Amino acid sequence: MTDFAELLEQNSYSKEDIVRILNANGRDEELLIQKAHNLRMSNVGNKVYMRGLIEISNICGKNCYYCGIRKGNKNVNRYLLSDKEVLKAAEYAYENDFGSLVIQGGELESDAWTSRIENLLREIKNLSNNELGITLSLGEQSEDTFRRWFDAGAHRYLLRFESSDHDLYHRIHPNDALHSYKRRFEAIDLLRKCGYQVGTGVMIGLPWQTADVLAEDLLRMKELDIDMCGMGPYVEHHDTPLYKYKDELIPVEERFRLTIKMIATLRLLINDINIAGTTAMQTIDPEGREKAFKAGANVVMPNITPTQYKDSYLLYDNKPGTKDEKEDSTEKVIQIIKDTGFEPGIGVWGDSPHFKKRD
Ligand code: SAM
Ligand code: SF4
């Protein structure tokens, strides 16, 4: 069998290679993280880019079995930020040199929603002299909607495929037209067609998920030629259908370790994309994002949603930072980036070099 250090030097990886990398322990795991760090430094540099995250609404038309804000959860105080609240948060991001915003929320599809987001995008572009970059994460939409939002100023879109394994996808979602595996991947193709920088990702540590499935996920990301990725551990929420499998999950510490190895392995597979250190990592390990940066992640998304709503956007139990004033979390994040030996990417879009090279 190839020596592990030699395996890391390969130019391409089979599914079996990836499974072996994901199962690495001890010294091999350290070598993996070191290799990912080196690739990150030579391909995307030492900056960590900041995106101010606005959780615009927890109203969702879908019923994903893992998610705390699923339509069927009656114990959620539903909210929708007003235009004024969104624009105030955008102004804050602009004044604090974030460079970019992410607008995320439940999945809603209607003409009124499409128009409202379109108008907000134009207003954000106006208030920031076209300087704020905008990423959307608002679920599956029609081609027309994706196009209108792109034309109004959004240039990146995050739509996780959650799992590339058809059976697993249908075990974690209702088996109906609204939660179609096929439509998910078609939506990702449409985003590319409309001109977006395309981001996707998966949850790690889901029930029934194996290292084989995770290796397939990474290979699918490579095949889709993605520009960005946001992956995080699956964390259970007590008011969801998947909660009943909580005793069958791998321990949270293992989910965290596996997430770090997934980030590092993705950096090996596609060297020059943007990879986020996600909030869910911090739920498990208070230093979760720092560890993600050291394993190849180069994007962080401090939450700048008005504090009074943060408690209502609970995708999973024990979500951190819901009591933070946004000022606290921004300063904290900048300090964390510096303390970890990286440089905060202040006031720039921080686009994925992978996307720029494709142009
Ligand atoms: N509604 C949009 C969508 O689904 O693409 C965007 C918002 S959704 C809340 C963002 C991501 O949260 C999902 O893609 C999913 O991976 C993640 N998520 C939901 N429930 C989770 C959980 N229990 N643990 C970890 N991540 C979760
Ligand atoms: Fe809605 Fe997204 Fe949660 Fe699914 S993951 S229930 S689409 S918010």
Side-chain angles (χ1 to χ4, degrees), residues 84-152:
K84 208 171 146 198
E85 286 167 325
V86 174
L87 296 175
K88 198 169 161 226
E91 223 163 62
Y92 171 84
Y94 181 51
E95 283 163 6
N96 284 271
D97 276 335
F98 273 73
S100 286
L101 279 183
V102 179
I103 300 179
Q104 193 191 73
E107 187 173 308
L108 294 171
E109 273 192 273
S110 72
D111 291 344
W113 184 240
T114 299
S115 301
R116 183 166 175 231
I117 297 295
E118 189 179 30
N119 291 335
L120 274 172
L121 290 167
R122 293 197 199 285
E123 293 202 47
I124 293 170
K125 283 287 170 186
N126 272 338
L127 75 79
S128 70
N129 292 321
N130 269 331
E131 284 173 32
L132 271 179
I134 308 177
T135 307
L136 294 179
S137 179
L138 297 170
E140 292 160 33
Q141 302 289 336
S142 67
E143 179 171 354
D144 181 59
T145 296
F146 282 148
R147 212 171 275 288
R148 280 172 59 186
W149 290 348
F150 184 81
D151 291 342

Side-chain angles (χ1 to χ4, degrees), residues 276-318:
T278 56
T279 316
M281 302 190 75
Q282 232 184 310
T283 306
I284 297 180
D285 184 329
E287 291 181 7
R289 291 183 297 189
E290 292 90 311
K291 290 181 182 167
F293 302 153
K294 288 181 180 165
N298 67 328
V299 169
V300 65
M301 305 193 290
N303 194 340
I304 59 166
T305 308
T307 313
Q308 72 266 32
Y309 299 107
K310 287 185 183 170
D311 259 346
S312 302
Y313 199 84
L314 296 182
L315 310 179
Y316 39 80
D317 293 337
N318 306 319

Side-chain angles (χ1 to χ4, degrees), residues 71-266:
K71 187 178 181 187
N73 185 2
K74 302 292 174 230
N75 300 324
V76 178
N77 285 324
R78 302 288 169 176
Y79 72 84
L80 181 62
L81 296 194
S82 66
D83 284 5
K84 208 171 146 198
E85 286 167 325
V86 174
L87 296 175
K88 198 169 161 226
E91 223 163 62
Y92 171 84
Y94 181 51
E95 283 163 6
N96 284 271
D97 276 335
F98 273 73
S100 286
L101 279 183
V102 179
I103 300 179
Q104 193 191 73
E107 187 173 308
L108 294 171
E109 273 192 273
S110 72
D111 291 344
W113 184 240
T114 299
S115 301
R116 183 166 175 231
I117 297 295
E118 189 179 30
N119 291 335
L120 274 172
L121 290 167
R122 293 197 199 285
E123 293 202 47
I124 293 170
K125 283 287 170 186
N126 272 338
L127 75 79
S128 70
N129 292 321
N130 269 331
E131 284 173 32
L132 271 179
I134 308 177
T135 307
L136 294 179
S137 179
L138 297 170
E140 292 160 33
Q141 302 289 336
S142 67
E143 179 171 354
D144 181 59
T145 296
F146 282 148
R147 212 171 275 288
R148 280 172 59 186
W149 290 348
F150 184 81
D151 291 342
H155 75 295
R156 300 185 281 237
Y157 205 104
L158 292 171
L159 186 64
R160 291 183 176 181
F161 58 66
E162 316 293 2
S163 178
S164 62
D165 185 273
H166 188 269
D167 289 345
L168 179 56
Y169 192 91
H170 283 298
R171 290 178 94 165
I172 62 170
H173 297 100
N175 208 342
D176 59 25
L178 191 61
H179 301 81
S180 150
Y181 175 88
K182 189 164 166 272
R183 190 179 186 227
R184 194 75 171 177
F185 284 93
E186 283 168 359
I188 291 174
D189 289 344
L190 284 177
L191 290 168
R192 169 85 68 226
K193 191 174 157 198
C194 293
Y196 287 94
Q197 294 178 38
V198 178
T200 193
V202 295
M203 282 170 289
I204 295 153
L206 286 163
W208 313 292
Q209 192 182 45
T210 59
D212 253 50
V213 167
L214 288 171
E216 291 283 4
D217 289 341
L218 291 174
L219 287 170
R220 183 64 78 92
M221 290 179 201
K222 172 102 180 146
E223 188 187 311
L224 289 169
D225 198 25
I226 58 167
D227 305 299
M228 323 179 284
C229 182
M231 289 186 282
Y234 162 65
V235 183
E236 56 274 35
H237 185 292
H238 62 280
D239 272 332
T240 59
L242 274 200
Y243 192 68
K244 58 177 169 290
Y245 301 104
K246 67 178 190 324
D247 296 331
E248 293 168 33
L249 301 173
I250 56 171
V252 282
E253 298 75 18
E254 279 306 302
R255 280 178 248 167
F256 180 84
R257 255 186 77 209
L258 202 47
T259 304
I260 292 285
K261 288 192 271 186
M262 284 286 284
I263 289 174
T265 311
L266 182 62

